[in-house]
Amino acid sequence: MRAVIRLARANPSALRFLVVGGIGFVITMVINYGLKLFVIPQHPVTALAVGIIVATVVSYWMNKKWSFDDRGDRHTGYEMLLFVIVSVIGVGLNSAPLYFSRYGLGLEVPNVSFATQEVADFISGPIIGTLIAMVFRYWAMNKWVFPKRAEIADVLSPTSPPTQPTPTR
């Protein structure tokens, strides 16, 4: 518990990012299992991807307004473009373990029982995939989407090396 308090004090945006991620995880799971169990059971990767995309839209707004509210001086259109690029990569990273589990390892009915398939799906997609994508997204959001103000200034107006006066004879 003390470690969490120290983390919150040292880097409040990280703790807020984790809270937003938790909300996104719940949104993803509700949509994923709603689609997977009732609408498109034959397309589990698509169901997960749709859940992730909806959660990503919600998380953009929450991250902009809360997690990284002290940053983000960029033009909103440019910032959203960067967010979409990072998020698309995140969807791929999040979905890849599930795709590998289902189609690479063959962990699907009729090769395995329905219970085994569902446990494998949950561990590979929502657990392993989310952890991989979360680490990438936090790094990329800090680096490119919502960088600190000083980093934005450095990117927008890079300083050239100081010039030396020309020696006179």
Side-chain angles (χ1 to χ4, degrees):
M1 185 64 167
R2 289 183 187 206
V4 172
I5 293 170
R6 271 185 263 144
L7 173 67
R9 286 185 181 150
N11 197 349
S13 68
L15 185 62
R16 291 186 296 233
F17 181 82
L18 289 173
V19 170
V20 170
I23 292 168
F25 182 79
V26 170
I27 292 169
T28 300
M29 291 300 91
V30 168
I31 292 171
N32 175 42
Y33 281 103
L35 291 174
K36 187 172 148 181
L37 296 175
F38 303 111
V39 181
I40 52 172
Q42 66 280 14
H43 299 289
V45 177
T46 302
L48 180 63
V50 169
I52 294 166
I53 290 166
V54 171
T56 298
V57 171
V58 173
S59 75
Y60 170 75
W61 183 80
M62 292 178 73
N63 278 316
K64 180 173 179 60
K65 299 296 182 187
W66 187 50
S67 299
F68 301 104
D69 64 338
D70 61 335
R71 305 174 187 192
D73 287 343
R74 291 190 164 132
H75 184 269
T76 302
Y78 182 62
E79 185 179 86
M80 287 177 74
L81 174 65
L82 292 173
F83 189 87
V84 167
I85 291 168
V86 167
S87 296
V88 167
I89 295 168
V91 169
L93 290 171
N94 208 143
S95 302
L98 174 59
Y99 184 88
F100 179 71
S101 171
R102 273 284 180 117
Y103 307 114
L105 299 177
L107 296 175
E108 62 179 329
V109 173
N111 301 334
V112 296
S113 70
F114 181 75
T116 301
Q117 170 186 285
E118 293 307 306
V119 169
D121 283 359
F122 184 76
I123 291 171
S124 60
I127 303 297
I128 296 170
T130 297
L131 289 173
I132 293 168
M134 178 184 63
V135 170
F136 167 75
R137 281 186 179 122
Y138 183 72
W139 172 78
M141 298 288 176
N142 263 323
K143 181 84 173 156
W144 291 303
V145 182
F146 303 113
K148 293 180 180 168
R149 286 183 172 96
E151 292 170 2
I152 291 174
D154 289 345
V155 169
L156 294 179
S157 61
T159 57
S160 57
T163 57
Q164 298 295 326
T166 308
T168 57
R169 290 189 185 203

